[in-house]
């Protein structure tokens, strides 16, 4: 029987994702500049012509990989205006859990971001000034405006630190990831869990650098 439109779209989506995963692995291992379309097609076990049915160029393939990485982290950081303090802590926990759920992709994504000429492309395009303003409002309600910037830096450093340590396996040599996660979460609850505020911003731009 001929495939339905839904079946065709599902097959196409799965093949596209497989190509992106293959390309990401090769980009991380061999470098973006050192990886050709031919090599990607060979490892993905498809023809070069078929690959071009999914992506216009190697740059387009990289762009789609970057969008996927940004989407993963953006979905994890679901901080939104009007959140309660309970919502804020729940989102912090979700952000920490996200690293385990997408460990392989994020490890390769991070390796890609260290390559010369690629790092700026990997960093998501966001309105940093608006997010920083919202963060300053939130932490200003807790510690006062004079200390707000320090709270922003502290919070982003905590999450970024967990992200790096968990992905690259440094922390496992001295403690479990669960212990580290629990410690960060307990600290967040103690320091910010009692904050009453009308605005808790999206902070994902701080975690992909």
């Amino acid at each position: 029987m001929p495939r339905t439109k839904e079946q065709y779209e599902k097959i196409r989506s799965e093949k596209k994702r497989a190509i992106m995963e293959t390309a990401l692995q090769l980009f991380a291992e061999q470098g973006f500049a050192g990886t050709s379309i031919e090599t990607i097609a060979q490892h993905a076990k498809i023809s070069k012509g078929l690959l071009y049915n999914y992506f216009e160029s190697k740059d387009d393939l990289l762009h789609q990989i970057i969008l996927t990485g940004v989407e993963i982290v953006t979905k994890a950081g679901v901080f939104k205006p009007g959140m309660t303090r309970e919502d804020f802590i729940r989102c912090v926990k979700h952000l920490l859990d996200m690293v385990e759920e997408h460990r392989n992709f994020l490890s390769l994504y991070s390796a890609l971001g260290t390559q010369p000429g690629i790092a700026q492309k990997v960093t998501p395009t966001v309105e940093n000034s608006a997010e920083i303003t919202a963060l300053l409002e939130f932490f200003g309600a807790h510690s006062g405006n004079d200390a707000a910037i320090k709270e922003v830096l502290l919070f982003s450093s905590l999450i970024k630190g967990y992200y790096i340590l968990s992905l690259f396996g440094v922390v496992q040599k001295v403690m479990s990831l669960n212990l580290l996660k629990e410690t960060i979460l307990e600290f967040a609850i103690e320091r910010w869990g009692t904050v009453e505020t009308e605005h808790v911003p999206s902070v994902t731009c701080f975690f992909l650098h």
Side-chain angles (χ1 to χ4, degrees):
M1 293 180 61
R3 294 190 180 100
T4 65
K5 181 179 179 181
E6 290 75 17
Q7 290 173 325
Y8 175 79
E9 290 299 329
K10 181 179 179 181
I11 292 172
R12 180 174 175 82
S13 177
E14 290 175 350
K15 177 60 69 174
K16 184 175 181 179
R17 183 174 65 252
I19 295 171
M20 291 170 61
E21 290 174 353
T22 298
L24 178 58
Q25 181 81 43
L26 292 170
F27 290 160
E29 293 175 352
Q30 303 179 13
F32 177 74
T35 304
S36 66
I37 286 290
E38 291 83 354
T39 301
I40 297 170
Q42 181 181 6
H43 281 75
K45 298 180 180 180
I46 61 173
S47 68
K48 179 180 175 181
L50 182 57
L51 191 150
Y52 279 119
N53 284 336
Y54 292 92
F55 303 97
E56 296 179 0
S57 63
K58 190 170 71 169
D59 282 344
D60 180 43
L61 180 49
L62 174 63
H63 179 67
Q64 294 300 319
I65 289 172
I66 291 171
L67 289 181
T68 299
V70 172
E71 182 180 9
I72 287 174
V73 180
T74 300
K75 285 184 177 179
V78 289
F79 299 93
K80 296 178 180 179
M83 289 174 56
T84 65
R85 60 188 182 225
E86 290 83 7
D87 292 333
F88 175 78
I89 296 302
R90 186 184 67 249
C91 290
V92 172
K93 183 179 184 303
H94 185 56
L95 194 60
L96 297 174
D97 291 339
M98 176 272 301
V99 177
E100 295 181 21
E101 183 180 355
H102 300 285
R103 179 180 303 279
N104 291 337
F105 184 93
L106 292 173
S107 294
L108 294 172
Y109 187 80
S110 296
L112 180 63
T114 64
Q115 297 178 25
I118 301 296
Q120 184 150 8
K121 296 180 181 180
V122 171
T123 302
T125 302
V126 291
E127 185 55 52
N128 286 337
S129 60
E131 292 194 348
I132 291 174
T133 298
L135 278 170
L136 290 173
E137 289 179 3
F138 175 79
F139 290 112
H142 178 271
S143 303
N145 292 334
D146 292 341
I149 186 61
K150 294 182 180 179
E151 297 297 297
V152 170
L153 294 173
L154 174 60
F155 178 63
S156 62
S157 296
L158 277 173
I159 304 301
K160 185 187 295 183
Y162 176 79
Y163 175 83
I164 294 172
L165 291 174
S166 60
L167 286 182
F168 298 104
V170 177
V171 69
Q172 290 92 322
K173 296 179 180 179
V174 294
M175 69 179 74
S176 71
L177 283 177
N178 283 337
L179 177 59
L180 178 61
K181 184 194 302 184
E182 290 170 5
T183 301
I184 292 175
L185 190 58
E186 288 174 1
F187 178 86
I189 292 172
E190 181 179 348
R191 191 174 186 90
W192 300 302
T194 58
V195 176
E196 293 290 354
T197 181
E198 296 181 354
H199 299 286
V200 179
S202 169
V203 293
T204 55
C205 65
F206 290 89
F207 309 139
L208 273 181
H209 296 178

